[in-house]
């Protein structure tokens, strides 16, 4: 065994996958793999190519270039039903005139399994997704969350090599969506499934994923363990997509104490030690890492990364308040504090802003 790679079992591998719609490149030479038992979430804004990518893996769209392997086998020319993939669409695509039982039994009937085998499998999976007792209900007699579970059960029942999920919780209200996300992850673990889900919702990606792959304009921006992508974004796009983040532009300088970024005449921000020596850079600082206080301790200035500012905006979000803080020269930062904070800041208040070099990322693009 020569390291981790050889121990892993690739369930899906795509190489240079490309799809064009006329002159629009929807998916642009994308290569990645999903390992057995892994939950990979593809995160990207609307129109970034997520559905096209998933539909190619499922076999509903034929790629212009590249290869798709499932369990080691090249499947480019195989129809969807010969790929052993399970797909859940945002629309769910359930059969409205059939009962819960009939919907879930459908893929097994298509595979011509023995009726007694079908019955056992359907009952087992309905138990797992907590739908037992609702076998005879029609789809229109179910709540949104229950329909969601039928769609999952119908896909899980034939034990596909991989579960492909295209924004499956998009139609649910927020509370239900958050419950289903937690349930989905539990289900994935219980069944030791391999899952690939696409979403535009960074929170959903963080809740569900082992690894996150961020895509933009059909290309991979970054792929890695979710904490890595969250705490160590590699591009400004990833940084801004992974939650409320300030991106400041400036010139990188160094002095005897180390590197700093000159954002404006008065705002020079000390940054963590790095290899790069100079040039224009972007500084990504999460809103919750912009620390506000009433008095500067010890004193403002580049030595301590403490800056004077004024609160110019406030959004109350329940547990949190998002403040907009003006430093100088039209330069503002977003800062999140707990709404129960004793600071009790109001628009117009003078504050000090502390930026911890260990909580920021210097980016070149
Ligand atoms: N059948 C199609 N014909 C033409 N353009 C399409 C078609 N399907 C998708 N597109 C375009 O390809 C891009 C990617 O679409 P899609 O994969 O649906 O993105 P996402 O799922 O990330 O929102 C979009 O610009 C979309 O308009
Ligand atoms: Mg889509």
């Amino acid at each position: 065994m020569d390291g981790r790679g050889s121990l892993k079992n690739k369930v899906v591998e795509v190489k240079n996958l490309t799809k064009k719609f006329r002159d629009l490149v929807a998916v642009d030479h994308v290569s990645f793999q999903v390992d057995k038992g892994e939950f990979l979430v593809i995160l990207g804004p609307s129109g970034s190519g997520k559905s096209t990518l998933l539909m190619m893996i499922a076999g509903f769209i034929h790629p212009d270039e590249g290869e798709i392997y499932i369990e080691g086998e090249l499947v480019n020319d195989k129809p969807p039903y010969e790929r052993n993939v399970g797909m859940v669409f945002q629309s769910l695509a359930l059969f409205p005139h059939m009962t819960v039982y009939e919907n879930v039994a459908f893929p097994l009937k298509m595979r011509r399994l023995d009726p007694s085998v079908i019955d056992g499998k359907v009952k087992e999976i309905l138990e797992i997704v907590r739908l037992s007792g609702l076998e005879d209900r029609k789809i229109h007699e179910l709540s949104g969350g229950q329909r969601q579970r039928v769609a999952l059960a119908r896909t899980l029942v034939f034990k596909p090599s991989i579960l492909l999920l295209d924004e499956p919780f998009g139609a649910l209200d927020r509370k239900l969506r958050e419950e289903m996300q937690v349930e989905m992850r539990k289900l994935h673990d219980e069944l030791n499934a391999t899952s690939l889900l696409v979403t535009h919702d960074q929170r959903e990606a963080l809740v569900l994923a082992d690894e996150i792959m961020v895509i933009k304009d059909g290309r991979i921006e970054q792929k890695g363990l979710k904490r890595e992508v969250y705490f160590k974004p590699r591009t400004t796009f990833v940084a801004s997509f992974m939650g409320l983040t300030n991106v400041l532009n400036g010139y990188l300088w160094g002095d005897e104490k180390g590197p700093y970024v000159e954002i404006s005449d008065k705002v020079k921000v000390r940054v963590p030690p790095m290899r790069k020596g100079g040039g224009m850079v972007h500084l990504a600082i999460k809103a919750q890492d912009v620390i506000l206080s009433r008095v500067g301790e010890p004193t403002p200035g580049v030595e301590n990364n403490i800056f004077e500012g004024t609160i110019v905006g406030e959004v109350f979000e329940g547990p949190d308040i998002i403040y907009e803080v003006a430093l100088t020269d039209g330069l503002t930062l977003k800062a999140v504090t707990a709404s129960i904070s004793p600071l009790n800041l109001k628009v117009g208040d003078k504050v000090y802003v502390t930026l911890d070099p260990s909580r920021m990322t210097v980016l070149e693009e």
Side-chain angles (χ1 to χ4, degrees):
M1 310 260 176
D2 57 353
R4 256 175 99 206
S6 60
L7 292 170
K8 285 197 176 174
N9 190 349
K10 283 180 249 185
V11 172
V12 169
E13 183 173 28
V14 306
K15 287 183 183 167
N16 274 316
L17 209 57
T18 300
K19 181 68 196 178
K20 298 185 187 111
F21 295 109
R22 303 225 174 108
D23 53 355
L24 175 94
V25 188
V27 175
D28 193 359
H29 297 90
V30 165
S31 303
F32 66 95
Q33 67 180 60
V34 192
D35 295 316
K36 187 153 182 55
E38 189 187 356
F39 204 130
L40 176 68
V41 175
I42 298 178
L43 174 66
S46 172
S48 56
K50 304 181 296 293
S51 294
T52 306
L53 186 51
L54 221 55
M55 298 283 265
M56 284 195 281
I57 296 171
F60 297 108
I61 294 181
H62 202 268
D64 294 321
E65 268 182 68
E67 292 93 51
I68 303 161
Y69 297 88
I70 295 175
E71 310 265 18
E73 186 191 358
L74 184 68
V75 296
N76 282 44
D77 296 321
K78 286 200 163 188
Y81 57 88
E82 282 181 20
R83 295 190 183 195
N84 199 32
V85 296
M87 178 125 180
V88 178
F89 300 88
Q90 182 172 351
S91 65
L92 302 186
L94 294 168
F95 305 115
H97 56 284
M98 290 188 196
T99 64
V100 168
Y101 186 98
E102 288 163 346
N103 264 280
V104 177
F106 184 79
L108 301 179
K109 281 193 180 151
M110 292 298 288
R111 286 169 174 75
R112 301 183 189 287
L113 267 65
D114 191 79
S116 66
V117 175
I118 293 180
D119 193 57
K121 285 183 188 284
V122 172
K123 287 194 171 138
E124 185 192 344
I125 200 71
L126 288 177
E127 183 79 47
I128 290 172
V129 301
R130 301 195 287 115
L131 282 176
S132 298
L134 299 179
E135 286 86 351
D136 298 329
R137 291 264 189 102
K138 291 273 171 56
I139 298 306
H140 68 86
E141 296 169 328
L142 300 175
S143 71
Q146 287 165 339
R147 284 177 202 191
Q148 190 66 58
R149 290 199 194 98
V150 177
L152 275 174
R154 190 181 59 176
T155 308
L156 290 165
V157 75
F158 62 93
K159 299 212 165 30
S161 305
I162 187 159
L163 197 55
L164 303 173
L165 304 131
D166 190 352
E167 314 224 18
F169 313 127
L172 304 177
D173 62 50
R174 182 172 169 168
K175 186 166 179 288
L176 194 53
R177 191 163 70 230
E178 291 177 358
E179 283 170 17
M180 284 303 299
Q181 289 162 354
V182 173
E183 241 177 75
M184 179 69 232
R185 180 65 222 208
K186 275 193 200 152
L187 212 55
H188 167 94
D189 292 334
E190 270 172 40
L191 298 170
N192 194 25
T194 304
S195 307
L196 176 56
L197 177 142
V198 306
T199 182
H200 64 272
D201 177 349
Q202 59 95 18
R203 194 191 163 279
E204 178 163 297
L206 290 168
V207 170
L208 284 164
D210 296 311
E211 285 204 19
I212 294 178
M213 183 169 107
V214 180
I215 65 165
K216 179 193 174 201
D217 300 333
R219 293 201 201 144
I220 302 177
E221 285 272 309
Q222 186 170 356
K223 178 176 184 277
L225 293 171
K226 63 179 165 191
R227 284 181 172 75
E228 196 180 298
V229 176
Y230 183 76
F231 288 116
K232 301 234 174 303
R234 267 198 247 120
T235 66
T236 52
F237 178 79
V238 176
S240 347
F241 212 68
M242 296 307 296
L244 195 59
T245 301
N246 299 285
V247 177
L248 307 174
N249 308 317
Y251 202 89
L252 179 67
W253 298 99
D255 60 17
E256 67 285 352
K257 287 186 182 146
Y260 66 88
V261 176
E262 183 172 355
I263 310 291
S264 72
D265 277 356
K266 290 186 186 142
V267 180
K268 298 180 181 72
V269 180
R270 186 64 70 189
V271 297
M274 69 183 72
R275 237 180 267 147
K276 190 175 155 65
M280 285 302 293
V281 292
H282 312 282
L283 202 51
I285 307 170
K286 292 188 192 304
Q288 70 263 29
D289 292 328
V290 175
I291 308 303
L292 305 181
S293 55
R294 291 264 183 195
V295 284
E297 281 287 341
T299 46
V302 66
E303 311 81 54
N304 313 301
N305 259 3
I306 299 174
F307 308 94
E308 290 177 84
T310 308
I311 305 281
V312 294
E314 170 192 22
V315 178
F316 177 78
E317 282 205 331
D320 297 321
I321 299 178
I322 301 167
Y323 290 109
E324 191 166 359
V325 189
L327 301 182
T328 48
D329 322 297
L331 177 68
T332 65
L333 286 177
K334 290 207 160 62
V336 174
T337 61
S339 53
I340 54 162
S341 160
L343 276 174
N344 196 25
L345 296 166
K346 291 279 165 292
V347 171
D349 286 355
K350 300 275 179 221
V351 287
Y352 289 96
V353 176
T354 305
L355 303 174
D356 177 351
S358 72
R359 304 304 299 266
M360 53 182 77
T361 313
V362 182
L363 300 162
E364 290 174 46
E365 57 169 306

